Amino acid sequence: PEVIKQASVPDVQPLTAPKAEVASVTSDKFRWPISGRVITDFANSKGTGINIEAPEGAAVRAAENGQVIYAGSGVEGYGNLILIRHPNGYVSAYAHLQQMNVAKGTVVNRGDNIGTAGKTGSVSKPQLHFELRKGATPVDPLPLLAS
């Protein structure tokens, strides 16, 4: 019986290993959804998100693995908008898109091309409005984005 107990001890350790891996993934920074100059920071967006200048048609990429929970143009001022729910409790938002390459329910990986930058909604020049929300609360994405 003692041999069986010893054999079961290593079986316990692999169960804790994946939890540690999941924790390290959630502490990683989000990737930038597009490269460009931040033209509106969190404070100037009235605490909603940031706006990143980008050429029209530039690829917009998922900031982290997740599932698309909204893709449409029903939110006033945002134009074409994609929302992605991430396993770490965050939701990322990508607005003013020219094109949307994903639909509600699509599972995306970090870096996947989800659409293209545009000037739909209430903006006059091509840009990406990017938001991160922890639950329903918008948070400043800049400290959470990989430098």
Side-chain angles (χ1 to χ4, degrees), residues 30-34 50 52 59-68 70-72 78-86 91-100 102 108-112 114-117 120 127-132 145:
F30 288 88
R31 84 182 293 285
W32 282 81
I34 199 164
I50 60 172
I52 306 165
V60 175
R61 302 191 179 279
E64 190 47 82
N65 300 345
Q67 184 168 23
V68 177
Y70 180 84
Y78 280 71
N80 291 326
L81 171 67
I82 293 172
L83 299 178
I84 300 174
R85 178 179 288 127
H86 306 287
V91 170
S92 57
Y94 312 79
H96 308 311
L97 300 172
Q98 181 182 51
Q99 282 185 300
M100 297 183 287
V102 292
V108 296
N109 291 313
R110 178 184 175 108
D112 282 1
I114 57 168
T116 59
T120 59
Q127 58 190 274
L128 174 70
H129 176 74
F130 178 69
E131 295 182 13
L132 281 178
L145 290 167

